[in-house]
Amino acid sequence: MCFCSRSAFSDLVIRESSKKSMRLSRFFLPILRETPKEAEIVSHRLMLRAGMMRQEAAGIYAFLPLGFRVLQKICQIVREEQNRSGAIELLMPTIQSAELWRESGRYEAYGKEMLRIQDRHEREMLYGPTNEEMITEIFRAYVRSYKDVPLNLYHIQWKFRDEVRPRFGLMRGREFLMKDAYSFDLDQAGATHSYNKMFVAYLRTFARMGLKSIPMRAESGPIGGNLSHEFIILAQTGESEVFCHKDYLDMAVPAADTNFDDIAGLQGIVSKWTSQYAATSDMHDAAAFAKVPSDKQVSARGIEVGHIFYFGTKYSDPMKAVVATHDGKEAPVHMGSYGIGPSRLVAAIIEASHDDAGIIWPEPVAPFKVAILNLKQGASDTDAASEQLYRDLTMKGIEVLYHDLDERPGAKFAATDLIGIPYQVLVGPRGLAEGKVEVKKRADGSRENLSPAAALDLLSR
RNA sequence: CGGGGCAUAGCGCAGUCUGGUAGCGCGUCUGGUUUGGGACCAGAAGGUCGCAGGUUCGAAUCCUGCUGCCCCGACCA
């Protein structure tokens, strides 16, 4: 992930990015030819086949190198958009003390979904399913004045929810990576603006991953509160049924230079994005949907990839997270929390973007941008051309996977299609005879015969 | 948590009904021939048949208990 322009640091940049290219012969990519039988849905099947992950227990997965690269790409986009909106990253632990949760009253309320643990001193601990309590405790320990808000703190950390029935691979795992942000404001008006910032950041985040997300009014569940939206992406294999106005599919996503401090401006964006009908089956109102012109009605399946909540003083009240107001009195802060599941997103993106041959990664989250396929490994001309291209692309800061194994072309095509690298460069004797290599786009299968220099130029755009 | 199913070589499976020396395909290793959409020939390695107990001369196979995993439903980033 390199957004830096060539600069005085280009030398460093090249050295850094060169680590991100790989020769397949030195990589760890255990591709499976057959599908493990436990995998039912497409993303699960493809992730196992592509050597991206491995199941360690029900709902618990190890990320293998290819999957980890994608996960990191996703996290980086999430992080950049959180930061852009003004949120500040920190890192809280996975293990929490039960005491905190007794204070908020959720220790009993959360039920069996929470994994409870005892340490050697028989202290009651838990593996965090979410962090409202802990962040509230951190906030109240330091913040005393209205002057210190608004504040939005987030982290990207593993969560554990002991789901009754984990399924669909990463889509509904028990252990999952979550970006959770928590906002603190003096009053409801401030909190609404904080909510709107996250709303806009989420629209941008998912769009950057090549996804069309649609915000839908949602129930707030055990997190609590009365204002909440789920961000849903449409995918044929989605787990929930959704209904929305077709206009959402073409709505312009807020630009990178959106001013997050412009209260009215953000409200305008949010109002626009909440003006049309959009609901999951839980919240579906058939009568209201019927008023949408029939050629604008979309009824499809969707995957929840983000969820935002405003819940006022639900935690700040019992946990006494208060700040001094302008007139010297104390008031509990108004809070919101905002979640994105990066590990689920890996699967969700595959659900939204694949074909019979395998995964089709949107470029911003692809584990490598380019795959070089040496179609006759061991022949001096194809070896030399492949090596040269590998070096040149890498020096340009492009992440390349060089398929340098001694396999037949067909096997290389199949493997590369499966793992979904956006661009394949085919280096074979046939093309080289005319001084050409072939650049194939995974997404649409289009091919171009180019000189190595022209290919280099095209791919480093 | 209710219902259904599965567990035999790295992966996919057969064998279980009807007990008698554990098999197939793919993958892996060695050698050779190959090389533009998952090659071919020859050879080889690899399994306490999920675990524990029982029945039997003899158990992958029959019986009992346990564990793990998957699917459907109610619940959820």
Side-chain angles (χ1 to χ4, degrees):
Chain A
M1 184 59 45
C2 181
F3 290 102
C4 22
S5 54
R6 315 269 135 64
S7 68
F9 297 107
S10 61
D11 202 44
L12 180 68
V13 170
I14 285 169
R15 236 179 296 140
E16 263 309 299
S17 46
S18 66
K19 284 183 207 158
K20 294 185 174 176
S21 286
M22 285 298 311
R23 290 166 193 279
L24 186 53
S25 60
R26 296 190 197 161
F27 197 44
F28 180 63
L29 184 64
I31 287 177
L32 268 32
R33 208 163 159 155
E34 277 166 291
T35 308
K37 65 176 171 194
E38 73 266 16
E40 205 71 8
I41 67 162
V42 148
S43 60
H44 193 193
R45 266 202 318 261
L46 289 175
M47 286 191 72
L48 291 170
R49 284 203 53 213
M52 294 179 65
M53 67 168 188
R54 177 175 177 78
Q55 179 166 8
E56 295 298 336
I60 299 179
Y61 297 87
F63 277 84
L64 303 181
L66 192 75
F68 187 47
R69 288 177 75 106
V70 175
L71 185 63
Q72 285 178 308
K73 293 272 169 104
I74 289 170
C75 286
Q76 188 53 29
I77 291 173
V78 168
R79 190 172 274 130
E80 285 169 8
E81 294 303 325
Q82 290 291 293
N83 294 349
R84 188 195 306 277
S85 79
I88 304 165
E89 186 170 16
L90 46 53
L91 182 59
M92 292 179 268
T94 55
I95 306 293
Q96 307 184 23
S97 153
E99 217 174 306
L100 262 183
W101 286 68
R102 292 217 171 83
E103 253 190 85
S104 71
R106 278 209 293 182
Y107 191 62
E108 306 308 327
Y110 215 95
K112 289 189 167 181
E113 297 244 317
M114 187 153 75
L115 180 63
R116 293 146 205 265
I117 312 168
Q118 264 195 358
D119 72 9
R120 67 197 298 162
H121 302 293
E122 296 182 359
R123 281 185 290 236
E124 292 177 89
M125 315 291 285
L126 58 97
Y127 194 117
T130 177
N131 283 56
E132 280 82 6
E133 281 77 1
M134 185 174 285
I135 199 73
T136 305
E137 193 269 335
I138 290 172
F139 178 88
R140 76 179 175 193
Y142 302 108
V143 179
R144 293 281 172 272
S145 163
Y146 72 91
K147 294 173 188 166
D148 298 320
V149 299
L151 183 64
N152 185 323
L153 299 171
Y154 77 96
H155 73 340
I156 300 176
Q157 178 62 289
W158 294 95
K159 303 292 186 290
F160 194 92
R161 293 183 189 173
D162 200 356
E163 298 275 347
V164 211
R165 174 145 105 91
R167 57 182 137 170
F168 305 145
L170 284 183
M171 293 280 270
R172 181 156 305 288
R174 292 192 294 170
E175 188 181 58
F176 58 97
L177 194 59
M178 181 159 91
K179 183 287 300 182
D180 38 329
Y182 303 90
S183 67
F184 301 88
D185 283 275
L186 187 58
D187 52 26
Q188 177 162 1
T192 303
H193 183 223
S194 291
Y195 186 91
N196 289 347
K197 283 183 187 174
M198 285 291 117
F199 191 106
V200 170
Y202 276 34
L203 288 175
R204 286 192 43 78
T205 301
F206 301 126
R208 279 187 60 189
M209 297 173 189
L211 299 172
K212 282 188 193 303
S213 69
I214 301 167
M216 301 192 179
R217 254 324 255 280
E219 308 251 29
S220 47
I223 307 286
N226 45 30
L227 176 57
S228 173
H229 286 90
E230 284 181 11
F231 286 75
I232 302 282
I233 63 162
L234 302 184
Q236 286 162 355
T237 46
E239 41 183 357
S240 46
E241 209 178 355
V242 299
F243 307 87
C244 71
H245 195 290
K246 197 174 179 185
D247 286 359
Y248 276 113
L249 301 178
D250 303 313
M251 236 176 245
V253 171
D257 62 358
T258 299
N259 180 1
F260 282 83
D261 293 324
D262 177 357
I263 295 173
L266 280 202
Q267 186 57 58
I269 296 171
V270 172
S271 297
K272 182 177 157 224
W273 277 85
T274 51
S275 59
Q276 302 289 359
Y277 187 86
T280 60
S281 54
D282 299 350
M283 302 284 278
H284 186 48
D285 176 349
F289 188 56
K291 290 182 190 151
V292 175
S294 57
D295 62 327
K296 293 286 189 181
Q297 290 182 2
V298 174
S299 104
R301 301 201 64 84
I303 302 167
E304 180 185 356
V305 289
H307 201 157
I308 62 179
F309 305 86
Y310 163 67
F311 45 74
T313 60
K314 177 176 161 133
Y315 299 94
S316 51
D317 253 332
M319 295 183 66
K320 301 193 174 47
V322 298
V323 292
T325 58
H326 298 78
D327 56 8
K329 296 188 175 137
E330 284 192 329
V333 286
H334 284 247
M335 295 175 57
S337 73
Y338 315 91
I340 291 178
S343 52
R344 170 181 285 185
L345 271 167
V346 179
I349 292 168
I350 296 173
E351 292 292 336
S353 182
H354 66 270
D355 63 16
D356 290 345
I359 302 167
I360 303 171
W361 290 117
E363 206 174 309
V365 298
F368 296 92
K369 178 176 176 180
V370 177
I372 297 173
L373 278 62
N374 184 344
L375 299 185
K376 191 164 183 179
Q377 203 75 43
S380 55
D381 54 344
T382 57
D383 281 6
S386 299
E387 288 289 342
Q388 187 61 46
L389 203 50
Y390 178 65
R391 266 197 303 276
D392 291 345
L393 285 166
T394 299
M395 290 304 277
K396 293 250 183 195
I398 294 162
E399 296 169 290
V400 186
L401 180 67
Y402 173 22
H403 198 320
D404 61 343
L405 300 181
D406 186 17
E407 285 177 6
R408 293 171 62 87
K412 293 194 178 189
F413 295 139
T416 315
D417 285 348
L418 173 64
I419 64 175
I421 310 300
Y423 295 93
Q424 301 174 10
V425 184
L426 317 188
V427 182
R430 215 159 71 188
L432 281 185
E434 288 156 27
K436 297 283 175 72
V437 296
E438 189 173 333
V439 178
K440 176 187 154 191
K441 273 178 94 164
R442 176 66 178 90
D444 58 13
S446 63
R447 296 151 182 273
E448 257 187 291
N449 282 310
L450 298 170
S451 69
L456 184 63
D457 194 49
L458 172 76
L459 295 169
S460 45
R461 260 184 229 152

